[in-house]
Amino acid sequence: MTSPEEPATYGGWQRERGPYLGELSLGGLVTVTGAGLVAMLPVYTHAWAGEIVAVPVALLLLAAVYLRVYGLTAAEWAVLAVRFEVAVVRRQTMFFSGAFAPRRSDGSRRTDLPGVLARLEFLTVPTGAGREIGVVHDPLQGHYSAIMEVRYPGIALADTARVNARVSGWGGFLRGHCVEGGPIVRISVTDRSAPEDGTALMAWTTGHLDRGAPAAAHDLVTALAAEAAPAASTRRTYLTVTLAASRVRQDIRSSGGGTLGATAVLVRELLAMQGAIAAADLQVVATLTVGQIAEVIRTAYDPGEAPVLAAHAAAACAPGWAGTPPGVDESAAGPAAAEQHWGRYRHDSGVSASFEVYGWPEGRVYASVLTPLMSASGNARRSVSLTYECLGARTARATLSRERTKADVKRRVRARGGRIESLDERKALVDTQDQDHARTAGHGIARFTGVVTVTVDEPGELALATARLKRDAYTSGLRLRELYAAQDSGFAATLPLGLGLPVKRRAVI
């Protein structure tokens, strides 16, 4: 057990989709069996000439199973390539809006977003006392998401006990939603960092200088601010809470039914969790309105517009402001044009590459493990999204039981075949047992994933930004895998809009 004076370490994460037998999935086992049958069929039928065809076919099937590139089998790469080329032929990789955006019957423009975001709806919900918040509605899944901008104190200068308490508070916040059939189905944290040209830092420094201070002190502070300005960066962190209407049908009916009832339940949940959020040392700056949500989307697709919108938001906070409120009209939230390529995504004034966190640190790590990944580097912007789906006690028990059973069966099969158990396989079994022990001790179990997007202004700058991102990921002990042929979906996953975890793959291999 870690004492308050010692920094706590964390680990034991496991990949959700494990192999079925040895290094094979169930589909891979079936394919290998089929390869053996293909090779042996001519022998049983005494058609020896058929071996000329059967052996190459069997080798091809085996290569499709065992040949891996960047974590995917050859069969998976083939499926991706075919789907992408079909999308290119059908012009489904390009998106045009702006002047081409569809309009309503009255001539007004409606929200027009690309790809998986096209189905989302934005609702304005009153919360009382004349205040309103924005809610993102996913009609396909029946989900309602509210987005809070939060701030948190850094841990670099905090003492060990304080750091441990903050992480424990965040763990308590997640554990509080590990309820079977609870209303909150998903919690997402999105951290966006962008390089700062130093204008804001110099303006703040100039405005806070003491006029009565010595001239030497003025010069020293100004010089230090000017030197630090090129290394400055702006950071915004968003906490997205998603409610599933299917889990609270009775509460929705008692609150008026339909969208009105669902948003009322969501508002109540937001108010109820404020204490747990504060216990995690998070400060809620604001719950975003529809206009502010649209601004978050707009600045992601068009980063060149971010300074203008930031200046407008700062001016709107001044007393007596009579202009338009901060934010963007929801009809202008999406990009004017976007195009998905095999390994990058071009959108308005930016070019992005998105990565899945394929492997988390295998050893024990400290709370600051993600610090290198969340810092802007050079002129590149970064967006890191962590999505949690908390499991109830019954679901967690069944999930861990399946994992332990699967690991035990694999051990028995390897022992019968005379294979020695590797240290990695033994560690995976120990991690599963530790998770089960933690569950019985009252801890929560959650599915989670991480997606990282790096954005630059010009295509020629993307290679360097990607190399720096991979270096920082390696420093954090992470393994990244580029989302080839799915860059638009990866980019959408790093927007704080409550999109869920991917469905478990049911691939052939």
mmCIF file of all heavy atoms in Angstrom, residues 271-292:
data_model
loop_
_atom_site.group_PDB
_atom_site.id
_atom_site.type_symbol
_atom_site.label_atom_id
_atom_site.label_comp_id
_atom_site.label_asym_id
_atom_site.label_seq_id
_atom_site.Cartn_x
_atom_site.Cartn_y
_atom_site.Cartn_z
ATOM 1 N N LEU A 271 -26.068 18.486 -11.920
ATOM 2 C CA LEU A 271 -26.074 19.147 -10.611
ATOM 3 C C LEU A 271 -25.650 18.186 -9.510
ATOM 4 O O LEU A 271 -24.947 18.567 -8.569
ATOM 5 C CB LEU A 271 -27.470 19.703 -10.324
ATOM 6 C CG LEU A 271 -27.957 20.831 -11.245
ATOM 7 C CD1 LEU A 271 -29.385 21.212 -10.914
ATOM 8 C CD2 LEU A 271 -27.040 22.040 -11.153
ATOM 9 N N ALA A 272 -26.047 16.923 -9.625
ATOM 10 C CA ALA A 272 -25.734 15.948 -8.578
ATOM 11 C C ALA A 272 -24.256 15.596 -8.533
ATOM 12 O O ALA A 272 -23.737 15.218 -7.477
ATOM 13 C CB ALA A 272 -26.560 14.681 -8.780
ATOM 14 N N MET A 273 -23.556 15.697 -9.652
ATOM 15 C CA MET A 273 -22.156 15.286 -9.693
ATOM 16 C C MET A 273 -21.181 16.426 -9.408
ATOM 17 O O MET A 273 -19.964 16.215 -9.449
ATOM 18 C CB MET A 273 -21.825 14.656 -11.053
ATOM 19 C CG MET A 273 -21.872 15.599 -12.219
ATOM 20 S SD MET A 273 -21.372 14.815 -13.777
ATOM 21 C CE MET A 273 -22.591 13.545 -13.969
ATOM 22 N N GLN A 274 -21.687 17.621 -9.109
ATOM 23 C CA GLN A 274 -20.779 18.749 -8.879
ATOM 24 C C GLN A 274 -19.862 18.513 -7.682
ATOM 25 O O GLN A 274 -18.693 18.888 -7.697
ATOM 26 C CB GLN A 274 -21.588 20.034 -8.678
ATOM 27 C CG GLN A 274 -22.351 20.487 -9.911
ATOM 28 C CD GLN A 274 -21.444 20.685 -11.110
ATOM 29 O OE1 GLN A 274 -20.409 21.337 -11.025
ATOM 30 N NE2 GLN A 274 -21.842 20.104 -12.234
ATOM 31 N N GLY A 275 -20.391 17.870 -6.629
ATOM 32 C CA GLY A 275 -19.547 17.596 -5.466
ATOM 33 C C GLY A 275 -18.426 16.638 -5.787
ATOM 34 O O GLY A 275 -17.282 16.840 -5.344
ATOM 35 N N ALA A 276 -18.707 15.588 -6.562
ATOM 36 C CA ALA A 276 -17.667 14.631 -6.937
ATOM 37 C C ALA A 276 -16.632 15.269 -7.847
ATOM 38 O O ALA A 276 -15.440 14.959 -7.765
ATOM 39 C CB ALA A 276 -18.304 13.418 -7.622
ATOM 40 N N ILE A 277 -17.074 16.190 -8.710
ATOM 41 C CA ILE A 277 -16.127 16.895 -9.577
ATOM 42 C C ILE A 277 -15.208 17.776 -8.752
ATOM 43 O O ILE A 277 -13.994 17.824 -8.970
ATOM 44 C CB ILE A 277 -16.895 17.720 -10.630
ATOM 45 C CG1 ILE A 277 -17.631 16.795 -11.599
ATOM 46 C CG2 ILE A 277 -15.943 18.632 -11.395
ATOM 47 C CD1 ILE A 277 -18.495 17.523 -12.603
ATOM 48 N N ALA A 278 -15.770 18.476 -7.779
ATOM 49 C CA ALA A 278 -14.947 19.325 -6.911
ATOM 50 C C ALA A 278 -13.982 18.491 -6.078
ATOM 51 O O ALA A 278 -12.852 18.917 -5.808
ATOM 52 C CB ALA A 278 -15.844 20.163 -6.014
ATOM 53 N N ALA A 279 -14.408 17.288 -5.662
ATOM 54 C CA ALA A 279 -13.523 16.430 -4.873
ATOM 55 C C ALA A 279 -12.313 15.990 -5.673
ATOM 56 O O ALA A 279 -11.267 15.665 -5.100
ATOM 57 C CB ALA A 279 -14.296 15.210 -4.373
ATOM 58 N N ALA A 280 -12.429 15.959 -7.000
ATOM 59 C CA ALA A 280 -11.295 15.620 -7.867
ATOM 60 C C ALA A 280 -10.436 16.832 -8.189
ATOM 61 O O ALA A 280 -9.561 16.748 -9.058
ATOM 62 C CB ALA A 280 -11.796 14.977 -9.155
ATOM 63 N N ASP A 281 -10.672 17.958 -7.497
ATOM 64 C CA ASP A 281 -9.909 19.201 -7.696
ATOM 65 C C ASP A 281 -10.111 19.773 -9.094
ATOM 66 O O ASP A 281 -9.198 20.390 -9.661
ATOM 67 C CB ASP A 281 -8.427 18.994 -7.435
ATOM 68 C CG ASP A 281 -7.949 19.837 -6.262
ATOM 69 O OD1 ASP A 281 -8.760 20.625 -5.739
ATOM 70 O OD2 ASP A 281 -6.775 19.717 -5.865
ATOM 71 N N LEU A 282 -11.302 19.561 -9.672
ATOM 72 C CA LEU A 282 -11.635 20.133 -10.966
ATOM 73 C C LEU A 282 -12.559 21.329 -10.757
ATOM 74 O O LEU A 282 -13.519 21.254 -9.993
ATOM 75 C CB LEU A 282 -12.324 19.102 -11.865
ATOM 76 C CG LEU A 282 -11.521 17.851 -12.225
ATOM 77 C CD1 LEU A 282 -12.361 16.911 -13.059
ATOM 78 C CD2 LEU A 282 -10.246 18.220 -12.970
ATOM 79 N N GLN A 283 -12.252 22.407 -11.447
ATOM 80 C CA GLN A 283 -13.081 23.612 -11.389
ATOM 81 C C GLN A 283 -13.868 23.728 -12.687
ATOM 82 O O GLN A 283 -13.289 23.797 -13.768
ATOM 83 C CB GLN A 283 -12.223 24.855 -11.187
ATOM 84 C CG GLN A 283 -13.015 26.150 -11.223
ATOM 85 C CD GLN A 283 -12.132 27.370 -11.309
ATOM 86 O OE1 GLN A 283 -10.902 27.257 -11.260
ATOM 87 N NE2 GLN A 283 -12.734 28.540 -11.425
ATOM 88 N N VAL A 284 -15.181 23.734 -12.587
ATOM 89 C CA VAL A 284 -16.036 23.877 -13.764
ATOM 90 C C VAL A 284 -16.098 25.351 -14.135
ATOM 91 O O VAL A 284 -16.679 26.166 -13.408
ATOM 92 C CB VAL A 284 -17.444 23.321 -13.504
ATOM 93 C CG1 VAL A 284 -18.321 23.515 -14.733
ATOM 94 C CG2 VAL A 284 -17.375 21.844 -13.129
ATOM 95 N N VAL A 285 -15.476 25.701 -15.249
ATOM 96 C CA VAL A 285 -15.486 27.088 -15.717
ATOM 97 C C VAL A 285 -16.869 27.451 -16.241
ATOM 98 O O VAL A 285 -17.418 28.504 -15.920
ATOM 99 C CB VAL A 285 -14.419 27.298 -16.810
ATOM 100 C CG1 VAL A 285 -14.455 28.737 -17.323
ATOM 101 C CG2 VAL A 285 -13.044 26.939 -16.288
ATOM 102 N N ALA A 286 -17.437 26.576 -17.042
ATOM 103 C CA ALA A 286 -18.759 26.823 -17.617
ATOM 104 C C ALA A 286 -19.267 25.536 -18.238
ATOM 105 O O ALA A 286 -18.479 24.675 -18.663
ATOM 106 C CB ALA A 286 -18.708 27.931 -18.668
ATOM 107 N N THR A 287 -20.581 25.394 -18.263
ATOM 108 C CA THR A 287 -21.218 24.362 -19.070
ATOM 109 C C THR A 287 -21.568 25.003 -20.404
ATOM 110 O O THR A 287 -22.297 25.993 -20.453
ATOM 111 C CB THR A 287 -22.481 23.814 -18.384
ATOM 112 O OG1 THR A 287 -22.131 23.327 -17.085
ATOM 113 C CG2 THR A 287 -23.082 22.691 -19.199
ATOM 114 N N LEU A 288 -21.037 24.476 -21.483
ATOM 115 C CA LEU A 288 -21.071 25.155 -22.769
ATOM 116 C C LEU A 288 -22.488 25.300 -23.303
ATOM 117 O O LEU A 288 -23.322 24.404 -23.165
ATOM 118 C CB LEU A 288 -20.217 24.400 -23.790
ATOM 119 C CG LEU A 288 -18.739 24.190 -23.438
ATOM 120 C CD1 LEU A 288 -17.986 23.645 -24.638
ATOM 121 C CD2 LEU A 288 -18.083 25.464 -22.933
ATOM 122 N N THR A 289 -22.724 26.452 -23.917
ATOM 123 C CA THR A 289 -23.964 26.664 -24.660
ATOM 124 C C THR A 289 -23.817 26.107 -26.071
ATOM 125 O O THR A 289 -22.737 25.656 -26.475
ATOM 126 C CB THR A 289 -24.294 28.157 -24.724
ATOM 127 O OG1 THR A 289 -23.244 28.825 -25.467
ATOM 128 C CG2 THR A 289 -24.376 28.768 -23.327
ATOM 129 N N VAL A 290 -24.896 26.143 -26.830
ATOM 130 C CA VAL A 290 -24.833 25.643 -28.206
ATOM 131 C C VAL A 290 -23.825 26.442 -29.018
ATOM 132 O O VAL A 290 -23.040 25.879 -29.805
ATOM 133 C CB VAL A 290 -26.226 25.689 -28.859
ATOM 134 C CG1 VAL A 290 -26.139 25.419 -30.358
ATOM 135 C CG2 VAL A 290 -27.162 24.677 -28.208
ATOM 136 N N GLY A 291 -23.816 27.764 -28.843
ATOM 137 C CA GLY A 291 -22.860 28.593 -29.570
ATOM 138 C C GLY A 291 -21.425 28.270 -29.223
ATOM 139 O O GLY A 291 -20.538 28.263 -30.087
ATOM 140 N N GLN A 292 -21.155 27.987 -27.946
ATOM 141 C CA GLN A 292 -19.793 27.648 -27.536
ATOM 142 C C GLN A 292 -19.396 26.257 -28.015
ATOM 143 O O GLN A 292 -18.236 26.021 -28.368
ATOM 144 C CB GLN A 292 -19.688 27.745 -26.015
ATOM 145 C CG GLN A 292 -19.794 29.168 -25.499
ATOM 146 C CD GLN A 292 -19.932 29.242 -23.991
ATOM 147 O OE1 GLN A 292 -20.507 28.351 -23.359
ATOM 148 N NE2 GLN A 292 -19.427 30.311 -23.395
#
